[in-house]
Amino acid sequence: LHSLHPPNTLNTPNRLHTLHSRHSLHSQNRPHSLYRLPMKNSQPRAYSALTSLKMVEKKSLLSFLPLSVSDKNELLLYDVPVTSEICAIMLVYFAQGLLGISRLAVSFYFKDTLHLSPVDMTMISTISVIPWIIKPLYGFISDTFPLFGYKRKTYLVLSGLLGTVSWKLLESMASGDSSSVAYSVLLVSLSSLGLAFSDVLVDAIVVSKSRDQNKSGSLQSICWSASAVGGLISAYFSGYLLQQYGTSFVFGLTSIV
């Protein structure tokens, strides 16, 4: 029986020693790189990670702002050189956002001073929006009929003067005893006309400056950032100024803007 069923030689000490010897000889013939990674292959990864961390630490908070300085020591805003023309564009868009300071004052003027109903105020709002609906007409006029040799600058100055005079007259009406509904609506519409005309002119200047595809997005960022800053300021101070100083003061401040 013992000769028919020999014991399992896999568990014998001699068999285990033989397998261990063969495994040792076989492992000596294999390349060393299959068993462990050499240190020289892992060093570049660790070095690059440490280098990137050091570069991030060296970046200051100013590097994340849109302001920078070029190699020629020029001030850049969104990678666009800050020239007098760019400052003028920013000022117009900032003024457009800041003019929202008068919206609340106009509503209270119509409601408390002129004693208009909500239906009348809705009708006045519709009339004041009409200058914004016909904006393509302003572009046609400025391109077809230049004034004093300029297609943009002269009309831009005139539209600013129109808005200033309209708000100044509204200030005098709000501070006086006599007030006319039709005259007030006309002045509000004229101020809206001046703002819409200037918006078309400035947009045309931005479009002409955006022919360079690399600067088109940066110019749009400059315009909307300036308008957003003005809008935030007007939203914060409009109610406070109206409560403390009244509608006439707000109208006079808007005429300066």
Side-chain angles (χ1 to χ4, degrees):
L1 291 175
H2 181 73
S3 61
L4 292 175
H5 301 282
N8 190 4
T9 57
L10 293 176
N11 298 326
T12 58
N14 294 330
R15 181 62 178 175
L16 292 174
H17 179 72
T18 304
L19 291 174
H20 178 71
S21 301
R22 290 180 179 178
H23 179 71
S24 301
L25 293 174
H26 186 65
S27 62
Q28 291 178 1
N29 296 328
R30 289 187 178 183
H32 185 68
S33 61
L34 296 177
Y35 284 89
R36 65 176 183 176
L37 293 174
M39 295 298 295
K40 63 180 182 178
N41 292 335
S42 60
Q43 285 178 355
R45 297 179 182 177
Y47 179 76
S48 61
L50 292 175
T51 304
S52 60
L53 289 176
K54 290 180 180 180
M55 292 176 63
V56 171
E57 291 177 356
K58 288 181 180 180
K59 289 183 178 179
S60 61
L61 293 176
L62 295 176
S63 61
F64 296 98
L65 296 176
L67 291 174
S68 60
V69 180
S70 64
D71 298 335
K72 299 179 181 180
N73 295 326
E74 295 179 347
L75 183 62
L76 301 178
L77 181 61
Y78 292 106
D79 296 331
V80 176
V82 180
T83 60
S84 59
E85 194 169 13
I86 295 297
C87 292
I89 293 172
M90 291 176 57
L91 184 61
V92 172
Y93 276 94
F94 176 76
Q96 289 180 2
L98 196 61
L99 284 175
I101 201 171
S102 63
R103 293 173 185 172
L104 190 61
V106 169
S107 299
F108 274 84
Y109 173 71
F110 286 139
K111 181 175 69 69
D112 296 338
T113 304
L114 300 180
H115 305 288
L116 297 179
S117 64
V119 178
D120 296 333
M121 293 178 62
T122 304
M123 182 63 66
I124 293 172
S125 300
T126 304
I127 295 173
S128 62
V129 171
I130 293 177
W132 291 90
I133 299 175
I134 57 175
K135 284 175 64 176
L137 180 62
Y138 311 146
F140 174 77
I141 293 173
S142 62
D143 290 336
T144 308
F145 307 102
L147 292 179
F148 304 104
Y150 296 101
K151 295 182 178 180
R152 308 282 187 265
K153 295 181 180 180
T154 308
Y155 285 105
L156 189 61
V157 173
L158 291 177
S159 61
L161 291 176
L162 179 61
T164 300
V165 172
S166 300
W167 288 112
K168 202 66 180 177
L169 292 175
L170 275 173
E171 179 191 7
S172 63
M173 288 186 61
S175 60
D177 296 333
S178 61
S179 57
S180 173
V181 176
Y183 192 41
S184 300
V185 173
L186 177 63
L187 292 177
V188 171
S189 301
L190 289 177
S191 65
S192 180
L193 174 62
L195 182 59
F197 211 121
S198 64
D199 182 72
V200 171
L201 298 173
V202 176
D203 287 342
I205 295 174
V206 173
V207 169
S208 63
K209 293 292 182 182
S210 300
R211 293 177 181 177
D212 187 2
Q213 297 295 329
N214 297 326
K215 295 182 179 180
S216 59
S218 300
L219 287 173
Q220 292 295 324
S221 299
I222 291 172
C223 297
W224 287 104
S225 298
S227 178
V229 172
L232 288 174
I233 295 174
S234 65
Y236 186 80
F237 288 103
S238 60
Y240 173 78
L241 294 175
L242 179 61
Q243 184 178 2
Q244 295 294 327
Y245 303 102
T247 56
S248 61
F249 177 81
V250 176
F251 291 160
L253 184 62
T254 307
S255 65
I256 298 174
V257 175

